[in-house]
């Protein structure tokens, strides 16, 4: 595998950093106003979110080790109630849901854990993590002073705490868990619910404390969190946050490393320069605990995505991508940030800063101890202009919107805007596998009476399905007289359907007549379309489709899904014909689901059609299956689904998730790191499918004879589906002569009479790859960014030759 490399203002060297972590021992966890204290020692802690159900157990060890190597001290995860208690009293802690195994993997890596029990999690997760059965507990009202809800919530919380205690997983027992969270982002809801909200929040805090975990509890985005619970901050920036009591530490439970995506929306990327700036700004003002949400986002396997309309990918532009590969430069730049801040740790946790204005938009925060420790943060808040400031009788240059870190109040070891690590560009390469497809069409002309029921009027979808399937059929019939005018001349009648979400496919006499979809912002929608009715009885079948249940909003458990009407025909001789209250027949799910066509163990009498015949007449509501062998190698795998419409995917009976080739609309007009970040700021992928690649975990595959099943709602072309592998395509980097380095700070600090070390950058390929060509190299004043470099006015003619010699390869012009 060849890898192309661009080289800008740098020499090719190896810079290897080893971060040590002492072995965890049984000790106490407390806090004061400066920091979390582990065994009496204040700590600056960097944490990273990795949600165990969004990856596979065989990935966990590698993900956690990569987080540790990137300077992470703590792994954070929510606990997902709906996967652990799918039915009341029946618990599931196996496979991707083996939270004990996940915690022990964290412990073996020598890291701490933050267990966010919730049990409301939001997290763009189906129903916010609540099991759907909870909605049907008599008299229940979610997240308020309601006895049925509090009883169920307490039961699950105590179940999880008991499970952790039984395995000695709290730090007070010698385990890795140093923090736990109860509830989640409740502040807005608390104010909305008034006294009932405040009473519930206070009850939840006291209930959590009484479980006796021996570690502190936190509540995020809850200003009224009662003692001793610590209130914490979530957001893109938290430097203006302060806890509600002066004796509590300043904790950032969600530093958003990027943003989620929704079908039909763009991809959001947060520049690492801005993320590093936000973290440094939080630290310089006295923050001591930062959790990156997400450090690895992963995949919303199955029907776990919420929203609705959240994509199957939960990549989140995190430092470790959806497939478990390091994302550069985000990972490397944050790693250097963590090292730089840890150099300041002793001063940061000992004293408060002295803040001095150095200019209109420039400040310095100085931490100076009586014992001689001194750390300084030089900040330039100007979004457009660099600044030159005078501090301690020395001049420092600060790029726009940046902070320089000086662990000795003299030498700059890091600047948030100066990225000195490589940028890695990834590609999806086809494998050699070719799928031989067979297809089966859902028969919507006949129904199994044992799976249907009939009633007057339109029913709410989740009340009928209980979320056992995304699909619910609404079926009725209309009799059209032969004298109707439209049968002889004029326009066809119009069918109008009002839906509360999320999508609907309309079939008239077994033929697809149209489809309509909502959005995450507007779940409700109206379908309007002409319908080709014939004399006599006409069968109207509406397939209502859920695309994930809501995960956030006031009393979202009461929000409706499905077709609640009105449903009406217009343009008949009688005028409007409201069908809403006539008899409707309902069927939950698809026939293929009932026959378990997705499973390799399924035994059915279905007659599958060969792909050559199916391709001649692609149909909606079609099942496709193919067998394939696992590709060689260990690169992550994905399915390219761009040729398909909308549906679901299974591999060997396990659900990859929902797919939807919905094209993104947005504003993709570039991105600057400087200035306040919002998801609308740095968008990618306009005019392209929001998601075309769907992660296939290698652990789900056998060496041969793997079953791939696809259910297509709209009528895509399965011959265009391909299996691809994710690989590093090219690397590039830039570094200036005066790039801050940690090595020179060490020389200055220890008074060693050594030669000044020039800045270095390391270009690294993936395991098994090597650099095969150099596409660009320039020492001077080159222009552009990775992938589009150009020579500037100043260029050393020997730039190429030096790099060719070092790499022993030939330049590609």
């Amino acid at each position: 595998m060849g890898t192309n490399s661009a080289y800008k203002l740098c020499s090719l060297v190896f810079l290897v950093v080893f971060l040590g972590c002492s072995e965890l021992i049984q000790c106490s966890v407390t806090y004061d106003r400066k920091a979390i204290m582990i065994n009496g020692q204040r700590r600056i802690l960097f944490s990273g979110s990795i949600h165990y159900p969004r990856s596979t157990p065989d990935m966990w060890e590698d993900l956690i080790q990569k987080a540790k190597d990137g300077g992470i001290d703590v792994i954070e995860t929510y606990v997902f109630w709906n996967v652990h208690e799918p039915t009341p009293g029946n618990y599931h802690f196996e496979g991707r849901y083996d939270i004990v195994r996940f915690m022990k993997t964290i412990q073996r890596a020598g890291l701490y854990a933050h267990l966010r029990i919730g049990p409301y999690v939001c997290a763009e997760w189906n129903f916010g993590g609540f099991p759907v059965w909870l909605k049907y507990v008599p008299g229940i009202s979610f997240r308020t002073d309601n006895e049925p809800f509090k009883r169920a919530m307490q039961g699950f919380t105590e179940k999880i705490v008991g499970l952790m205690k039984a395995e000695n997983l709290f730090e007070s027992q010698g385990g890795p868990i140093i923090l736990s969270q109860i509830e989640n982002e409740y502040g807005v809801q608390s104010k909305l619910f008034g006294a009932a909200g405040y009473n519930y929040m206070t009850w939840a805090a006291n209930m959590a404390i009484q479980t006796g975990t021996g570690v502190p509890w936190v509540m995020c985005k809850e200003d009224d969190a009662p003692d001793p619970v610590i209130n914490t901050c979530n957001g893109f920036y938290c430097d203006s946050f302060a806890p509600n009591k002066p004796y509590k530490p300043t904790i950032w439970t969600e530093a958003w490393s990027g943003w989620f995506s929704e079908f039909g929306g763009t991809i959001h990327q947060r520049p690492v320069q801005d993320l590093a700036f936000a973290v440094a700004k939080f630290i310089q003002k006295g923050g001591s605990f930062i959790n990156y949400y997400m450090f690895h986002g992963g995949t919303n396997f199955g029907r776990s995505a919420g929203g609705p309309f959240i994509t199957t990918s939960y990549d989140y532009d995190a430092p470790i991508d959806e497939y478990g590969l390091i994302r550069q430069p985000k990972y490397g730049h944050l790693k250097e940030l963590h090292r730089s801040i840890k150099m300041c740790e002793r001063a940061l946790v000992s004293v408060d800063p002295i803040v001095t204005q150095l200019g209109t938009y420039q400040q310095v925060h100085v931490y100076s101890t009586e014992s001689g420790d001194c750390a300084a943060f030089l900040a330039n808040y100007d979004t457009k202009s660099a600044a030159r400031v005078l501090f301690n009788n020395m001049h420092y240059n600060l790029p726009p919107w940046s902070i320089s870190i000086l662990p000795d109040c003299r030498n700059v070891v890091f600047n948030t805007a100066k990225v000195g690590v490589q940028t890695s560009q990834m590609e999806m390469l086809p494998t050699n596998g070719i799928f031989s497809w067979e297809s089966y069409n859902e028969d919507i002309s006949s129904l199994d009476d044992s799976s249907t029921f009939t009633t007057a009027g339109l029913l709410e979808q989740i009340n009928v399905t209980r979320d056992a399937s995304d699909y619910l059929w609404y079926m009725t019939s209309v009799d059209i007289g032969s004298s109707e005018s439209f049968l002889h001349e004029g326009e066809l009648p119009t069918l109008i359907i009002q839906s509360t979400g999320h999508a609907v496919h309309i079939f008239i006499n077994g033929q697809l007549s149209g489809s309509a979809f909502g959005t995450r912002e507007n779940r409700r929608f109206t379908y309007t379309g002409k319908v080709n009715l014939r004399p006599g009885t006409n069968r109207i079948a509406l397939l209502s489709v859920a695309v994930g249940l809501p995960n956030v909003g006031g009393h979202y458990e009461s929000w409706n899904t499905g077709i609640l009407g009105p449903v009406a025909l217009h343009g008949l001789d009688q005028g409007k014909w409201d069908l809403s209250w006539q008899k409707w027949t309902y069927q939950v799910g698809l026939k293929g689901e009932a026959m378990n066509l997705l499973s390799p163990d399924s035994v059915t009498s279905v007659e599958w059609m060969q792909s050559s015949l199916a391709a001649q007449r692609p149909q909606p509501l079609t099942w496709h299956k193919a067998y394939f062998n696992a590709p060689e190698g260990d690169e992550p795998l994905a399915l390219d689904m761009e040729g398909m419409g909308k549906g679901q995917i299974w591999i060997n009976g396990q659900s990859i998730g929902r797919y939807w080739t919905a094209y993104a609309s947005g504003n993709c007009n570039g991105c600057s790191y400087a200035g306040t970040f919002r998801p609308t700021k740095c968008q990618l992928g306009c005019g392209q499918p929001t998601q075309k690649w769907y992660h296939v975990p290698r652990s789900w595959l056998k060496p041969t004879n793997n079953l791939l099943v696809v259910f297509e709602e709209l009528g895509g072309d399965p011959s265009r589906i391909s299996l691809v592998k994710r690989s590093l395509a090219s690397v590039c980097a830039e570094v200036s002569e005066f790039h801050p380095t940690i090595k020179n700070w060490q020389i200055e600090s220890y008074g060693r009479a050594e030669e000044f070390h020039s800045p270095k950058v390391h270009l690294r390929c993936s395991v098994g790859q090597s650099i095969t060509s150099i596409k660009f190299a320039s020492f001077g004043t080159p222009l552009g960014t990775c992938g589009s470099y150009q020579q500037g006015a100043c260029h050393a003619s020997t730039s190429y030759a030096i790099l060719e010699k070092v790499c022993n390869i030939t330049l590609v012009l």
Side-chain angles (χ1 to χ4, degrees), residues 232-274:
T232 67
C233 182
N234 294 356
F236 289 112
Y237 306 92
C238 279
D239 53 276
S240 62
F241 168 79
N244 60 15
K245 295 292 175 60
Y247 43 80
K248 295 180 181 180
T250 305
I251 294 177
W252 191 356
T253 35
E254 290 187 16
W256 297 332
S257 59
W259 201 239
F260 58 83
S261 14
E262 58 189 271
F263 287 116
T266 54
I267 303 301
H268 307 280
Q269 289 192 328
R270 185 177 188 185
V272 68
Q273 300 96 320
D274 176 70

Side-chain angles (χ1 to χ4, degrees), residues 64-242:
I64 291 166
Q65 186 61 48
K66 285 174 178 172
K68 179 179 180 179
D69 293 344
I72 294 298
D73 307 295
V74 183
I75 301 297
E76 175 275 335
T77 185
Y78 281 125
V79 181
F80 298 85
W81 188 355
N82 60 344
V83 304
H84 292 306
E85 194 178 4
T87 58
N90 296 310
Y91 294 97
H92 186 196
F93 294 100
E94 299 175 350
R96 296 201 326 275
Y97 311 140
D98 191 345
I99 188 172
V100 169
R101 176 178 172 182
F102 186 72
M103 288 292 141
K104 290 184 176 180
T105 306
I106 294 170
Q107 185 175 26
R108 283 196 304 272
L111 297 183
Y112 299 115
H114 179 196
L115 190 67
R116 301 176 74 185
I117 296 176
Y120 167 69
V121 300
C122 187
E124 293 71 58
W125 190 264
N126 194 59
F127 217 43
F130 288 138
V132 172
W133 59 259
L134 190 67
K135 174 179 177 176
Y136 300 100
V137 172
I140 202 164
S141 182
F142 284 12
R143 304 179 73 202
T144 188
D145 193 9
N146 171 266
E147 289 304 321
F149 178 79
K150 291 192 296 184
R151 188 162 50 248
M153 173 181 168
Q154 181 171 356
F156 181 73
T157 301
E158 291 176 346
K159 174 71 176 182
I160 296 302
V161 169
L163 182 63
M164 298 298 105
K165 282 184 175 180
E167 299 290 341
N168 295 318
L169 289 173
F170 287 104
E171 181 72 10
S172 56
Q173 303 172 291
I177 303 171
I178 60 170
L179 287 176
S180 290
Q181 178 178 300
I182 195 69
E183 249 299 333
N184 187 50
E185 300 183 327
Y186 189 66
V188 173
Q189 300 302 315
S190 179
K191 291 177 175 59
L192 182 66
F193 297 156
Y198 181 83
N199 291 340
Y200 161 71
M201 180 273 299
T202 305
W203 167 86
N206 291 330
M207 180 269 290
I209 294 165
Q210 289 168 9
T211 61
T213 62
V215 302
W217 286 85
V218 304
M219 280 183 161
C220 64
K221 297 181 76 170
E222 177 48 76
D223 294 340
D224 295 328
D227 289 355
V229 175
I230 307 166
N231 65 305
T232 67
C233 182
N234 294 356
F236 289 112
Y237 306 92
C238 279
D239 53 276
S240 62
F241 168 79

Side-chain angles (χ1 to χ4, degrees), residues 718-788:
S719 68
R720 295 179 58 190
I721 297 175
S722 62
L723 187 65
V724 297
K725 55 185 178 181
R726 188 166 178 83
S727 180
L728 181 62
S730 62
V731 295
C732 49
E734 59 183 286
V735 66
S736 67
E737 293 177 274
F738 301 104
H739 190 90
T741 66
I742 291 174
K743 181 167 286 191
N744 285 323
W745 173 80
Q746 292 171 332
I747 293 170
E748 292 285 345
S749 297
Y750 294 106
R752 300 174 184 170
E754 297 185 23
E755 181 182 356
F756 182 83
H757 286 255
S758 299
K760 297 175 180 179
V761 68
H762 181 203
L763 300 181
R764 181 191 298 273
C765 296
S766 298
V767 176
Q769 291 182 311
S770 60
I771 297 175
T772 58
S773 63
I774 306 295
K775 287 194 170 181
F776 181 87
S778 177
F779 182 81
T781 57
L783 306 173
T785 58
C786 185
S788 59

Side-chain angles (χ1 to χ4, degrees), residues 194 203 237 385 427 701 740:
W203 167 86
Y237 306 92
S385 302
E427 62 183 348
L701 300 183

Side-chain angles (χ1 to χ4, degrees), residues 32 292 357 396 399 573 734:
D32 64 9
Y292 295 100
Q357 205 70 24
Y396 298 88
D573 291 347
E734 59 183 286

